[in-house]
Amino acid sequence: MALPSAARPREDVPLPASPLIEFIRLGLEHSAVPLTSGQPHPSCYPLEELAELAAETLRHEGDRYLRYGASRGMGKLRRLVDRIFTKQGILPPDLSSEALVLTVGAQGAFDLLCQAVLRPGEVVALDAPCYPDTWCTAIRRGGRVLPVPVDAEGLDVAVLERSLLQGVRPRMVYTIPTYQNPTGCSLSRERASRLVELAERFEFLVVLDDPYRLLPLDEPLRSGPEFFPWKGWNSGRVVALGSFAKILAPGLRVGWVHAAPELADTLATLQEMSFISLPALDALLVAAFLERHGLEAQLQRVRSFLRGQRDALLRALGDARLEALGCAVMASAGGCFLGLTLPPGREATPVARRLATDFGVATVPERAFWPPNVPETPDRFLRLSFSWATPEEFSRSAEAFRRVLTLS
C-alpha cells in the first residue's frame, strides 16, 4: 500500500528500509550461522545479578520509579552514567548530568537529534560505509546524506574539508569514532582535532555514536582529553551518543545523548512529547546494577569473551587459507566485527546471498552499508560479527567462504 505523502520524508524520497535487516532475515530464513548481528551473546548477560536486583528494586523502589518519569530520564541513572564515564576519562570532569538525556537506545537518541536540528533538505555527512540505520533515519527525517569515506584512521576529514570548501554546508557530521561499524577503524587524534576545527569554522554539529568505546581488545581504553568528546565540548559543537546495548544487554533499551544545555533541553522536550516518559523498569534495573556492581567486572567479562571469539574466527579464516584466493582480513582492535575483503572482481552481495542460501552462513556485504544515493556503490567485503557464533561454526563458515569463492 502506498503511503500518503505526509508520511514520507520528501516527495522525491521513498521511505527507506535498512538493508542490514534484509541480510539478517535471509540468514534466519535459512537457519544460517549468524555472522550478521553485533549483539552480545547471552552468556555475557549478567542474568543472575539482574534477576536478583529486579525483585529487590521493584519491592523497595517500584512505588517511586514506576510512575511517569522526568523527560531527561531517571535522575539517579543519569548521575551514575555521568560519574562512571567521567571516571573512565571519556567525559570531561566538569560536565553536568543535566547535559545528559537518557533515550531509548543510541538509535533513539539520533532520531531525536534529527528531529531537533535537521530541516528538510539539509545535509548530513556521515561515514561511508556506515551503519545503515543511521542514514535511513537521516533520510526519513528529511535529510540529504553525504557519504564521506573512511580508512584506517577513520573518517577522511580531508575529503570532508574539500566538500566544505566547495560550498557544501552539512548540518551534522556523523561518525562512529571507535571500532567503526562496519570497518573496525578508529578516528585518529589528528583527524579528531581537525574535525572540531572544521565544525567551529563551518558551524556544524559533530555527532559521535560510540557504542564500542568500552570494548578495546588489543589496546588501552581510548580516554582522556585528546579523544572525543572532550574536544569541542565547550563550544557545544560535539554531541555524543552512547548505549548499554553492547555491554549489558541489548534488550535493556537504555541509551543516552550528551549535548550542550540548550540542545539537551530541546531533546528532552521532544522526548516528552513523543513518549511522555521512558520505560522505567529498564532504567531502574540498570541503575540498580551500576549501584551494586559497577561496570568494570561486566566489561572484563564481555571483553574477554569477545577477544576469544575474535581470535577463534581469525584462526578459522587462517586455517581455510583464504589469502591464497586473494582475500584479506580487516581486523579491528576492539568491538565485535571484522571484515573479509574478497578477491578483486568479486562482488560481496551475490557471495553473501549464496553463502546464506546454499551454505547456511549469514554475513552482510559492504553494499548494505552504503546509502542509496551513491551511483557506483563499492561492494568489496563481507562484515563478519564474531559476537554470537561458536568456534565450530566459525570453522564451518570459513570453509564455506572457501567453497563459494572457488566456484565459478
Side-chain angles (χ1 to χ4, degrees):
M1 181 181 72
L3 290 170
S5 60
R8 297 202 300 271
R10 295 197 313 268
E11 284 294 323
D12 60 326
V13 178
L15 192 67
S18 171
L20 177 60
I21 300 302
E22 174 190 350
F23 286 92
I24 292 175
R25 287 176 177 161
L26 183 65
L28 292 172
E29 289 171 7
H30 294 275
S31 301
V33 176
L35 304 183
T36 47
S37 179
Q39 61 181 323
H41 192 273
S43 63
C44 293
Y45 303 166
L47 291 178
E48 292 301 320
E49 297 93 329
L50 290 173
E52 179 182 341
L53 288 168
E56 182 180 326
T57 53
L58 278 174
R59 290 192 187 99
H60 292 96
E61 299 185 90
D63 60 342
R64 176 182 178 187
Y65 286 112
L66 294 187
R67 311 169 190 173
Y68 288 129
S71 59
R72 274 179 163 77
M74 181 186 294
K76 175 168 68 171
L77 180 53
R78 286 192 288 111
R79 290 187 292 273
L80 283 165
V81 171
D82 180 54
R83 186 183 313 152
I84 288 172
F85 284 82
T86 298
K87 184 178 179 181
Q88 294 271 4
I90 293 175
L91 296 176
D94 56 350
L95 187 66
S96 167
S97 62
E98 290 303 301
L100 186 151
V101 179
L102 298 178
T103 60
V104 182
Q107 187 66 32
F110 184 67
D111 186 53
L112 281 175
L113 187 63
C114 288
Q115 291 182 61
V117 306
L118 191 61
R119 292 183 289 269
E122 288 188 319
V123 172
V124 179
L126 39 72
D127 293 344
C130 182
Y131 175 57
D133 288 11
T134 299
W135 49 257
C136 283
T137 298
I139 293 171
R140 182 166 53 87
R141 291 299 180 185
R144 296 182 184 275
V145 296
L146 172 67
V148 180
V150 300
D151 58 24
E153 295 184 65
L155 184 80
D156 194 331
V157 178
V159 172
L160 173 65
E161 185 170 6
R162 285 197 292 272
S163 294
L164 295 170
L165 294 174
Q166 291 167 3
V168 177
R169 292 293 178 265
R171 184 66 168 151
M172 297 185 279
V173 174
Y174 168 98
T175 185
I176 300 176
T178 320
Y179 318 131
Q180 193 255 6
N181 180 5
T183 68
C185 65
S186 293
L187 191 68
S188 68
R189 301 180 189 186
E190 295 75 18
R191 289 189 181 180
S193 295
R194 186 58 181 155
L195 184 54
V196 170
E197 292 170 2
L198 293 173
E200 301 285 357
R201 177 180 172 187
F202 293 96
E203 299 183 335
F204 57 79
L205 290 177
V206 175
V207 183
L208 307 168
D209 192 357
D210 218 2
Y212 311 106
R213 171 81 79 92
L214 293 176
L215 297 176
L217 305 181
D218 289 334
E219 61 181 6
L221 179 68
R222 291 172 170 253
S223 62
E226 68 270 32
F227 289 105
F228 280 126
W230 288 28
K231 291 181 182 296
W233 192 261
N234 291 336
S235 68
R237 290 292 171 194
V238 170
V239 179
L241 315 181
S243 169
F244 286 108
K246 309 300 183 185
I247 54 181
L248 281 179
L252 294 171
R253 302 304 299 147
V254 178
W256 59 86
V257 53
H258 285 88
E262 184 178 352
L263 179 54
D265 288 343
T266 301
L267 297 174
T269 300
L270 278 171
Q271 184 156 255
E272 185 174 44
M273 290 189 293
S274 298
F275 306 121
I276 302 178
S277 62
L278 295 168
L281 189 56
D282 288 19
L284 181 60
L285 197 53
V286 172
F289 181 88
L290 296 177
E291 283 184 316
R292 179 73 58 84
H293 300 285
L295 201 55
E296 193 54 42
Q298 173 64 13
L299 287 174
Q300 292 298 333
R301 176 193 301 185
V302 177
R303 289 171 187 156
S304 177
F305 175 81
L306 288 176
R307 189 178 297 113
Q309 289 285 105
R310 184 206 52 190
D311 293 348
L313 178 55
L314 287 173
R315 283 194 301 272
L317 295 174
D319 291 344
R321 304 183 308 281
L322 298 177
E323 71 282 355
L325 302 177
C327 295
V329 174
M330 302 157 50
S332 175
C336 49
F337 307 110
L338 59 80
L340 181 67
T341 302
L342 301 184
R346 294 300 296 265
E347 290 192 346
T349 296
V351 170
R353 292 190 186 284
R354 188 159 193 182
L355 280 167
T357 58
D358 295 354
F359 294 90
V361 177
T363 62
V364 188
E366 180 186 8
R367 185 172 291 157
F369 298 94
W370 284 81
N373 62 332
V374 179
E376 295 184 8
T377 306
D379 201 21
R380 303 158 294 188
F381 66 84
L382 300 171
R383 191 200 71 175
L384 311 179
S385 168
F386 48 80
S387 65
W388 194 271
T390 66
E392 293 75 17
E393 289 173 324
F394 290 152
S395 296
R396 179 156 66 86
S397 299
E399 184 56 34
F401 299 156
R402 183 172 185 81
R403 291 177 63 191
V404 168
L405 292 174
T406 53
L407 295 173
S408 57

